[in-house]
Every structure is written in C-alpha cells, then in structure tokens.
Amino acid sequence: MSYSSFNKIILTSFLVLFSFFSLAQAKSELPPILDYYPNCSYEVIDKTKIKIITETPLSIKIVDKLLEKIQIRAKNADADAVILTAKKVKKYKNIRKGSGNSNNSNNSAVFSRKASGETKYLVRYHAELINLCEENSDEKRKRTPLNHQGLRIIDTKSKVISTISHTITIASKVVTKRPTINNDEVSLKHGVYGVKIGSSYQHVIDMLGKPSVKLKVMVNEVVLGYGRRHWFYFQSDKLVNIQNNSAYLSQDMINKVPTLDFFDDFLWQINQKVVYKMLLSDVKSALNITTNLNNQDQLVLKGDANTLTLNFIFNRDQRSLEKSYELIGFTLKANNYKQNKQRIAVRSKAQFKVIEHLYSQLRNNQEVQKDKLLEQLGEPLGFISLSRYSDLNIYNNNLLILVKREEISKLYLIEDALANGQSHRWSLGKIIQGISVKKSQKYLDKEAIFLFDKVEVNADNYALSLMFDELNGEDIVYEAQIDIY
C-alpha cells in the first residue's frame, strides 16, 4: 500500500468518526425530556403536539422519532427542557362530514386506511416547552405525566433522598400482597403458570391473586386481566381461553391498567424452550416442528383438548426488504371454545341523562347524593383496579367513573373505552362529543379558562375540563372530565 493511499484511509476514518461524534453531540445537545417537574416556578414558553400514523403504535422506533421531533422543536424555540403532558393512541378511522359533495376534497376522509387493509393508528404526544428555574433541593418533586421515554408511570410513589448538594428521587411501585408465581411455563399439557384450561373462576383468583381488570362485555362471559398482557376468559365459571392481548379494551384503556411484576415482564416460556422475541426459525427448531405460519402470522399447535397459538410479528430489513419474524405472544384455548358474539346491553342514553342531571346539580350548587348516583347508573361493565383503594369503573363505551374508597371522585366522558364498542357519542347537557369549542362557550360558565388544548371551569364544588383537538381547521371537543369535591 502506498503512503498516499494510507493517508486517504486515515483521513476517511477520521471523517467518519468525526461525523459520528458530531451527530451524537448534536443529539445530546437537544433539550432533555424531564421525568419530574422542577420544584420552582418554571416558565412555559410554548406548547406543542406532534403526531404520526403507523401500523406499529408500540414501536420504540416510532416513539423515539416523535420524541426527537419534539426536542428539535424545543431547541428551535430556545427552550431549556420538555415536559410530556399527554399521549393519545387512536385507530386511524374514516371520518367524513355529514353533507356535501363526497368528491370534494374538503369532504374527503380525514382519517383513512391504505388499500392494503392494514390497521393504522394515530399516535400523538402533547408537550410543554419550558425554561428552567433555580430549584429548591429541600422540596419534593412531582412526577411528570410521561417520562423521558414517552411512557406513562402508573401507581408509583416517590422516595426522596436529600443530600447537601442535590436531591435524588427514586420511583418505587405500590406493593400489594399477591401469591408468588414460580411457574413460568406455557404449554398444551400444563396450561399457563400452572393454571389449566377448565379451571374454575375462584381457582384462578386463588392461584394468581386479585385481578387488575374485570370485564363483563359479552353475554355469559367474564374476563379477568392481570397487568396489561394476561387475559383469562370464563364461560359457565370455567376457564376457556387465555391470551396476551385484550379483545375488548381500547389501547387508551389498556394504558390506564397498572403494570404488574411477572405478568408484564415477558417471563413466559413455551414448553420451557421458547421465549418472547425468539425468531421463528429458532422456535420451529426448539419445538421440532415444520409447520408454516398461517395468514395471520401464527403457528397453531393443536392438542386433544386445547389449542396453543403462537403469535408473531415481522420486521423488514431496510436494505434487503426481507422479513424476519419474532414471537410476541400466545393464546391457549379449549378446542370447544366459541367466542360469544352477543354484547351485554348497555343503557348509555339513560346513563348520560344521569350524568347530565349531576352536572346541573353541581352548576347550581345543589347537594349531590353520590350513593344514589351509582344506583341510578346501574351495574358497570367492569373495572380497572388502579390501587388498593381506587377503581376505574367502566359503564359504557364512553363513561368512566373513578371510585376512591367506595366514593365517586371523578367522571370521564371519553371517545372509546372498548375496542369496537357501541358508541352513542357522550353528552353533558348541550355539550356533546364532537361539538366545536366555539359553540360550547355559551353552555359554560363565564369563568371558563381557554388553554392550549382544553377548557377549564373551576367552581367550589367541582371542576370541569373539556379536551379538544383540531379537525378540519376547527377545534372539536372529544373528552370531558369532572372532578367532584
């Protein structure tokens, strides 16, 4: 090799390394996303929201891409840091205006799906771009709604360790007593963690402890959820189906379920040989099978009484465009299991009338009898256990009630609590889901405060928040929350 060629190689290597370190330095110079609010009066210099449409809303790459865009906006605004205030994940639906020429571009679908038929999702983050302030290290810090990874931290308490120079805050989970699970096996023969198909409802609770979620969405069927990734289906008091994904809760609702150790840690092993994220080729080799994936990207293993289905997802190599499949979940069900198709009848309109009357009482400063309110609403479709003393009751596809120590604390009127739920659009008197913020003004108190993405009304006995988003150039109300004092 000539001296000249050697110098070129050295120079090229230096330029590559320089480019790498420059890129890393540029990324590190972006304003940080905070895990805790500053314990001083920081300045909000701007608010922003950013969204993306994707087939993989849980992809780390997608989340990182969105968060980096927010940080770049913060840098361009000369902000010191970012606070993530909300995350929304919705199905990317076809929504058209109710009238007009359908060929007009203004009346075309706001949300649509590609011709491929793949389900699309709209992922959106809301954030505050802030300037930092001089902090008082003697005071406790409050956790932000979402951390620097864009994740919501639920059911945590903060322990604060104070030192002379700074304060270190450590998050720890709220601990509840539940049976210790030492069995991580999933198989046709032994069931899931020692719980076999055909077990009784009470036996499952005795084995696994109090569930995170209980649902009665379909006639003659009860579903128990443990964490966000384990769902146990019962018919006639017998366990008939176990799966990793919820067929009934919307993604927004699943995000409200507190995570559980073990259940959300992907510790399961298929036949003590196959683990989460294992490649398809390795799975087939470990199980000594030659079966191919079906058209739903599944391997189906059928036994005499039960069927074990392994679910895969593919990643595509950006250069070769070849697909590689990874194991992401399982379903174990009785061979004679038939999914119920008849939903339990809900009283949405009557329940909205009850909430409308409550809102009228609150606005007129009348006494509210909370016990009678629950009686009037009737039996909920289910609940999410948020902590030892609080549950989030689900009454219909749009109505949630937070109950603390058996007393109503907060009401939520939302877009979709249930996947493929029967939605009637929620209403709060004249304020109806889909109303424009401009039209809603005349139905609000004069003291209403209009903020970046919500309207707030604060009274002595209650607080109302209306969440809105832009649609076709107009701010549209999509959610309401009422705190009762």
Side-chain angles (χ1 to χ4, degrees):
M1 180 184 293
S2 68
Y3 180 77
S4 175
S5 299
F6 179 76
N7 279 347
K8 285 181 180 179
I9 292 172
I10 294 294
L11 179 60
T12 302
S13 300
F14 173 77
L15 289 173
V16 169
L17 285 172
F18 179 78
S19 299
F20 172 79
F21 286 119
S22 297
L23 180 62
Q25 183 180 19
K27 249 190 164 181
S28 65
E29 289 175 353
L30 292 174
I33 298 173
L34 303 184
D35 289 342
Y36 296 88
Y37 286 103
N39 56 11
C40 53
S41 299
Y42 62 89
E43 178 190 9
V44 178
I45 62 174
D46 199 4
K47 293 184 178 182
T48 189
K49 53 188 174 182
I50 196 161
K51 61 187 176 183
I52 196 169
I53 299 157
T54 176
E55 295 173 9
T56 55
L58 302 181
S59 165
I60 294 174
K61 290 182 180 179
I62 292 295
V63 171
D64 287 346
K65 184 177 181 180
L66 287 171
L67 298 187
E68 186 178 355
K69 285 186 176 181
I70 291 175
Q71 288 177 286
I72 291 171
R73 286 190 183 181
K75 184 177 181 179
N76 292 337
D78 291 326
D80 295 330
V82 173
I83 294 174
L84 298 177
T85 56
K87 178 184 179 181
K88 297 289 181 183
V89 179
K90 302 178 186 177
K91 277 190 178 179
Y92 198 51
K93 301 175 182 177
N94 284 323
I95 301 178
R96 296 178 179 271
K97 286 188 176 182
S99 60
N101 184 357
S102 60
N103 294 322
N104 189 318
S105 60
N106 291 330
N107 290 333
S108 63
V110 178
F111 298 130
S112 62
R113 295 184 183 178
K114 288 186 176 179
S116 64
E118 295 285 349
T119 301
K120 300 285 186 179
Y121 295 88
L122 179 70
V123 183
R124 178 171 56 239
Y125 279 96
H126 297 246
E128 292 179 344
L129 315 182
I130 71 166
N131 280 336
L132 296 173
C133 47
E134 187 174 348
E135 298 196 43
N136 181 352
S137 61
D138 295 328
E139 295 182 9
K140 293 183 179 181
R141 296 187 182 192
K142 180 182 176 184
R143 182 178 289 279
T144 56
L146 299 131
N147 67 10
H148 68 281
Q149 296 173 312
L151 300 175
R152 188 186 306 277
I153 306 299
I154 304 176
D155 265 355
T156 59
K157 287 183 177 178
S158 295
K159 296 178 181 178
V160 178
I161 305 172
S162 295
T163 64
I164 294 174
S165 59
H166 62 282
T167 301
I168 304 171
T169 310
I170 304 172
S172 60
K173 289 186 177 181
V174 175
V175 179
T176 57
K177 290 183 179 180
R178 61 176 53 253
T180 302
I181 302 174
N182 298 315
N183 186 340
D184 62 2
E185 183 183 16
V186 175
S187 71
L188 281 168
K189 183 177 180 181
H190 302 295
V192 176
Y193 315 144
V195 176
K196 295 184 178 182
I197 295 294
S199 298
S200 71
Y201 177 90
Q202 188 57 49
H203 177 72
V204 173
I205 292 178
D206 292 341
M207 290 282 288
L208 305 181
K210 179 185 176 182
S212 307
V213 181
K214 182 177 179 180
L215 296 171
K216 294 181 180 179
V217 177
M218 312 304 285
V219 173
N220 298 323
E221 183 179 82
V222 178
V223 180
L224 299 183
Y226 287 85
R228 301 178 183 182
R229 308 185 193 279
H230 288 77
W231 304 89
F232 295 76
Y233 292 66
F234 297 84
Q235 292 178 355
S236 301
D237 195 49
K238 297 297 180 183
L239 179 62
V240 292
N241 182 29
I242 309 169
Q243 60 189 51
N244 285 141
N245 62 305
S246 169
Y248 300 133
L249 287 185
S250 68
Q251 186 60 52
D252 275 350
M253 292 300 293
I254 291 174
N255 291 341
K256 296 180 188 298
V257 179
T259 56
L260 279 184
D261 287 337
F262 183 85
F263 290 102
D264 287 299
D265 293 337
F266 299 99
L267 298 176
W268 45 266
Q269 298 188 65
I270 308 293
N271 293 1
Q272 298 295 339
K273 297 177 181 179
V274 174
V275 296
Y276 174 68
K277 289 275 188 178
M278 185 177 276
L279 292 176
L280 173 62
S281 57
D282 295 332
V283 172
K284 294 171 73 170
S285 176
L287 298 179
N288 192 26
I289 58 175
T290 58
T291 310
N292 293 322
L293 295 178
N294 63 17
N295 59 7
Q296 294 178 300
D297 294 337
Q298 299 171 327
L299 279 181
V300 180
L301 311 176
K302 193 164 186 177
D304 294 335
N306 306 316
T307 297
L308 177 62
T309 302
L310 308 185
N311 301 304
F312 291 80
I313 191 171
F314 70 82
N315 294 311
R316 193 187 296 273
D317 186 273
Q318 292 183 351
R319 293 183 178 179
S320 67
L321 299 181
E322 290 186 1
K323 294 180 180 180
S324 61
Y325 289 85
E326 294 180 340
L327 178 65
I328 60 164
F330 64 85
T331 297
L332 179 64
K333 62 183 180 181
N335 288 342
N336 60 0
Y337 166 67
K338 292 183 180 179
Q339 184 177 4
N340 286 339
K341 296 183 179 180
Q342 184 181 354
R343 286 180 174 261
I344 290 177
V346 293
R347 302 169 48 247
S348 299
K349 291 183 179 180
Q351 289 167 340
F352 293 149
K353 286 286 185 183
V354 173
I355 300 306
E356 179 183 345
H357 180 64
L358 166 70
Y359 179 52
S360 175
Q361 287 180 308
L362 291 170
R363 291 192 69 184
N364 294 314
N365 205 24
Q366 297 174 352
E367 183 181 354
V368 174
Q369 294 180 316
K370 295 182 180 180
D371 293 340
K372 285 190 175 181
L373 178 67
L374 290 177
E375 289 179 13
Q376 292 170 335
L377 289 173
E379 191 74 18
L381 294 176
F383 66 84
I384 298 174
S385 179
L386 299 179
S387 70
R388 188 176 177 183
Y389 301 109
S390 62
D391 291 331
L392 187 62
N393 288 352
I394 304 168
Y395 284 89
N396 58 52
N397 192 40
N398 310 95
L399 175 61
L400 315 174
I401 294 184
L402 178 62
V403 179
K404 290 185 177 180
R405 296 184 183 272
E406 300 184 357
E407 184 172 306
I408 294 175
S409 174
K410 190 168 185 174
L411 286 79
Y412 300 84
L413 293 165
I414 67 172
E415 288 183 303
D416 293 297
L418 305 174
N420 302 316
Q422 299 170 333
S423 181
H424 296 285
R425 289 207 304 171
W426 59 259
S427 60
L428 193 62
K430 298 291 186 178
I431 302 173
I432 301 171
Q433 178 185 344
I435 193 174
S436 69
V437 173
K438 186 175 181 181
K439 288 181 180 178
S440 70
Q441 290 185 39
K442 56 186 173 183
Y443 307 121
L444 296 170
D445 295 337
K446 293 181 180 179
E447 293 78 13
I449 302 170
F450 290 80
L451 302 173
F452 170 69
D453 57 357
K454 65 179 177 180
V455 182
E456 289 189 349
V457 176
N458 292 289
D460 293 335
N461 56 339
Y462 78 98
L464 169 68
S465 297
L466 297 180
M467 317 302 178
F468 60 84
D469 201 357
E470 184 181 337
L471 185 63
N472 288 343
E474 194 170 22
D475 290 329
I476 300 298
V477 175
Y478 65 87
E479 183 175 316
Q481 299 177 10
I482 303 177
D483 288 274
I484 304 175
Y485 304 138

